[in-house]
Amino acid sequence: MIDPFELQRLSSQPIEPIAERLGLRVAHHKALCPFHADKHPSLTFKGSRYRCFVCGAQGGVIDLVKNVSGKKFVEACKWIADENKIIIPDNREPRPLTSAKVTTSFDATRYIRHFEHPWLSPYARQFLFEKRMLDPRVVDFCRLTSYKDWLQIPYLDQAGRLIGIQCRYMGSDPNQPRFRFPQGSVCKLYNQQVIPMLKPGEPLFISEGCSDCWSILSSGHKCVAIPSATLLKEEDLLPLQGHSCHIYPDQDEPGEKLYERLLAASLKIGFYLERHQLPSGCKDFSDYFVLVKGKGKADEK
């Protein structure tokens, strides 16, 4: 069951980027209608809605995903959340971590043993080293580990204390959520433990999501991450106060909105924020990193 507030967030997502990810070619707010034999673009998009003026098909973001992909309602919602980096809070205790009774606050002592001797499953290794092409030293530094089909991502405070865990599904079951959190996890600003390591004037990068953070770290820069732009609170950014921060916004509407929010917060909290532009064709920094890394390997051959 999806909370009505979360459902509203999903329903209000811009529809055109989602239509393109579903395989529709959008131009001038129109596309060929997938619901009839359309030869001239008759499917029109506006805000979070679509409508075909030929066959009469119409609906919202979730309807489009359901009707084009054939997914059921909950699956369509999860797909939209994953595509837009929206984290839907799951109040259930994630089975991959523990089967103990749910508690009301995060108890790090119950989970710290998972990260004492990190181990990566074949799925996780393929994702981290082959798909993302990350530096193994970054994976070790971030203490990433596996439990069955889940990649466990520890959130540490600036002193290196465990304050939360994000679990990312690495398996093939389409009914599993992409992300889960143990009850009480505090997942505000990711990789805070790198902040005390900054030298005077050294740039600190900000990314949207952990994957981009690992890529930036692998490129040789210190980085923290916003786990979810939709759950971002201004007070979560207080550790950035007084630092020189840099960002490569994702090349989509949510990425632009995050940059605007961070820029406004920088003026209130007191940190410098400089924007950098990703090359055309790279949706996020992970795409850019893989492109550059792959080109470098090709040149070596």
Side-chain angles (χ1 to χ4, degrees), residues 7 14 56 79 82 128 139 151 162 221 232 260 266 277 291:
L7 191 60
W79 185 89
D82 289 348
L128 297 170
V139 174
L151 178 66
L162 184 66
H221 298 287
L232 176 64
E260 292 171 1
S266 70
Q277 187 66 38
L291 179 67

Side-chain angles (χ1 to χ4, degrees), residues 22-35:
L22 289 169
L24 303 182
R25 185 174 180 180
V26 181
H28 306 295
H29 311 295
K30 291 185 177 182
L32 290 174
C33 181
F35 309 120

Side-chain angles (χ1 to χ4, degrees), residues 9-19 21 45-49 61 64 80 84 86 252-254 257:
R9 285 200 297 149
L10 297 175
S11 300
S12 62
Q13 294 301 306
I15 198 168
E16 290 188 19
I18 289 175
R21 291 171 199 166
F45 303 104
K46 184 177 181 180
S48 300
R49 305 283 300 177
V61 174
L64 184 67
I80 295 169
N84 289 276
I86 295 174
D252 55 19
E253 188 168 345
K257 288 183 177 179

